[in-house]
Amino acid sequence: MFRLQENQTSIKTEVLAGITTFFTMVYIVVVNPVILSDAGVPFNQVFTATIIASVVGTLWMALFANYPIAIAPGMGLNAYFTYSVVGAHQGISYQTAFAAVFVAGLIFVILSLTPLREKLIEAIPENLKYGITAGIGLFIAFISLRLTKIIVADPSNLVKLGNLHEKSVVLTIVGLAITLILMSFRVNGALFFGMIVTGIIAFFTGQIHFKEGFVALPSLPEGLMIANPFTALTDVVHYSLYAVVFSFILVTIFDTTGTMVGVANQAGLMKGDKLPRARHALLSDSIATAVGAMFGTSPTTAFIESTSGVAAGGRTGLTSLTVAALFILSAFFGPLVSAVSGISAITAPALIIVGSLMMGSIAKIRWNELDEAFPAFLTILSMPLTSSISTGIALGFISYPLLKTARGKWREVHLLVWVFAVLFFIQLAFLQG
């Protein structure tokens, strides 16, 4: 089924690769509920939904695409859901926001069944892609610094350095140092093991308590978030969430596909410039996004941490199948994860480091070309300063064609970019608030 001999691998190698991938990305079952709980979603709901979405997407990738790529709710997309959709729109509850995620997932499924998704990816300027990735990374890191009080509000200058003697600040700095040291020694699962060590320190310093034990059956306190697809569509229309749906689609579309291509290329699975079984692979995150929204989590994406499994020898879907099995097992450790998530200093180091890794895309921006560099810069700068990922994307897409036109390069702008620019301009000018 997995064509192990054809891919020059073995069951042992694939299983070990799956274990490696799982430990490098399992932090998401802690971090995702932490971020979405800021939107008011019950912790246990998000914890279980995160695992369901991860299992569905990763199993699809394993059984139908036969790739060693894991799927889970994406970093950045969860922050956008919490702070830019629910947090920035009065009257929009997290239940309504999940309707937008569900509709985006349905559109993803349709796009993944056609060549249109690949054409959309080609239409988005490379430098804007890099800018969006870097901006989200900066935004995630900023949120983490704020939640742990390393950065605090300042009436005269908006933000300033917090009290470095506070327990949460000290624990965050220690956890960050430990995790960075583990990463420096190339320890697989450094982010996860860094959280474990930080959690142990928090326990012995009296900052964390395990009142409900460690193990329990998984639960969904609020049941299905989306029980009726037609109600979800109605909510999107009623609250005019078109820009929200569009932003979910835009961010996820190139994030997932770029990751898939990168991981497949590292594993030597590309055939020239094409990804075999691309349609099945692209369906994995779109189906998982729709399913995840039904249970209560933000959009899913292919995880770049899958490269750690590839480095360990993973070449087939058996690696992904192992990851899915381990996610199922992790569902029974909800009380442990819940206790850990209550201390932001335990999860913050992982978020800060993820943010720094996402910032690496800045190096690929063509800074010597103003019409390419400034829209990317505007995108990066505005995301943390406006606390809105969608605003950063909007400003980037509006400024890009305008600068190109001013420099006489309007022919270089794809028609779809003009469409995006007009839609985002309408959103900022008439649909804000």
Side-chain angles (χ1 to χ4, degrees):
M1 177 180 184
F2 296 110
R3 301 197 293 273
L4 300 180
Q5 290 185 343
E6 180 182 327
N7 287 283
Q8 299 179 338
T9 185
S10 65
I11 293 176
K12 179 182 177 181
T13 299
E14 294 293 304
V15 171
L16 288 175
I19 293 172
T20 301
T21 295
F22 175 76
F23 277 113
T24 59
M25 65 178 291
V26 69
Y27 68 86
I28 196 66
V29 303
V30 182
V31 172
N32 199 47
V34 168
I35 292 177
L36 292 190
S37 63
D38 278 357
V41 193
F43 178 88
N44 286 339
Q45 184 81 25
V46 185
F47 173 73
T48 305
T50 298
I51 292 172
I52 291 173
S54 302
V55 170
V56 169
T58 305
L59 275 180
W60 185 281
M61 183 69 74
L63 301 177
F64 295 99
N66 195 28
Y67 284 133
I69 302 172
I71 304 292
M75 292 299 301
L77 291 164
N78 47 16
Y80 173 64
F81 178 97
T82 299
Y83 304 108
S84 297
V85 179
V86 179
H89 293 78
Q90 291 185 354
I92 293 182
S93 64
Y94 61 81
Q95 293 93 337
T96 303
F98 281 128
V101 176
F102 179 76
V103 171
L106 292 182
I107 295 173
F108 265 137
V109 172
I110 295 171
L111 290 176
S112 299
L113 290 171
T114 69
L116 184 58
R117 185 168 176 180
E118 294 176 25
K119 291 187 181 297
L120 284 172
I121 295 164
E122 294 171 2
I124 301 171
E126 288 293 323
N127 289 281
L128 276 186
K129 293 179 186 178
Y130 301 141
I132 292 170
T133 301
I136 291 173
L138 196 60
F139 185 42
I140 290 171
F142 177 74
I143 290 171
S144 303
L145 293 171
R146 181 175 59 81
L147 290 177
T148 54
K149 298 182 180 179
I150 292 177
I151 289 177
V152 296
D154 179 60
S156 60
N157 197 38
L158 296 182
V159 292
K160 66 178 182 179
L161 185 67
N163 181 4
L164 296 181
H165 297 286
E166 279 200 30
K167 283 186 176 180
S168 65
V169 175
V170 174
L171 185 60
T172 303
I173 294 172
V174 170
L176 185 61
I178 291 169
T179 308
L180 288 171
I181 290 170
L182 290 173
M183 293 187 73
S184 297
F185 284 102
R186 301 184 183 279
V187 175
N188 286 323
L191 294 177
F192 177 67
F193 292 122
M195 283 195 291
I196 289 179
V197 175
T198 309
I200 292 172
I201 295 172
F203 177 75
F204 283 108
T205 55
Q207 298 181 58
I208 187 172
H209 305 281
F210 300 100
K211 298 178 181 178
E212 299 179 9
F214 297 94
V215 181
L217 290 173
S219 64
L220 289 165
E222 298 196 6
L224 284 177
M225 289 290 182
I226 307 294
N228 188 334
F230 295 104
T231 302
L233 288 168
T234 303
D235 284 345
V236 169
V237 174
H238 178 73
Y239 291 97
S240 300
L241 296 178
Y242 313 113
V244 173
V245 172
F246 176 68
S247 295
F248 276 134
I249 291 172
L250 184 65
V251 174
T252 310
I253 235 171
F254 64 81
D255 183 30
T256 298
T257 310
T259 300
M260 285 184 186
V261 171
V263 175
N265 189 53
Q266 181 186 349
L269 300 172
M270 297 289 289
K271 304 296 182 184
D273 294 329
K274 294 191 176 182
L275 179 67
R277 304 180 301 282
R279 189 162 296 179
H280 290 301
L282 293 172
L283 275 169
S284 61
D285 72 304
S286 54
I287 291 173
T289 292
V291 172
M294 292 175 66
F295 289 95
T297 188
S298 47
T300 61
T301 183
F303 259 56
I304 194 63
E305 284 83 352
S306 301
T307 55
S308 64
V310 170
R315 294 293 180 273
T316 74
L318 184 55
T319 295
S320 302
L321 183 64
T322 304
V323 174
L326 291 171
F327 266 118
I328 293 172
L329 183 63
S330 69
F332 297 94
F333 292 90
L336 173 62
V337 174
S338 179
V340 169
S341 69
I343 310 297
S344 58
I346 296 175
T347 54
L351 289 172
I352 294 169
I353 292 171
V354 168
S356 74
L357 295 175
M358 294 177 75
M359 283 288 290
S361 62
I362 280 184
K364 301 176 183 178
I365 296 172
R366 300 202 298 270
W367 292 107
N368 59 330
E369 299 177 31
L370 181 66
D371 49 336
E372 292 285 346
F374 187 78
F377 166 75
L378 194 59
T379 299
I380 296 167
L381 183 68
S382 55
M383 283 187 187
L385 294 186
T386 64
S387 294
S388 172
I389 292 171
S390 63
T391 298
I393 295 173
L395 293 175
F397 268 88
I398 292 170
S399 60
Y400 184 85
L402 292 179
L403 271 173
K404 284 291 184 182
T405 302
R407 302 198 70 181
K409 300 179 180 179
W410 59 270
R411 291 183 181 84
E412 295 181 9
V413 183
H414 196 285
L415 177 61
L416 286 173
V417 174
W418 282 107
V419 173
F420 292 161
V422 171
L423 290 174
F424 274 130
F425 176 78
I426 293 171
Q427 176 204 358
L428 290 180
F430 305 109
L431 301 178
Q432 285 290 91

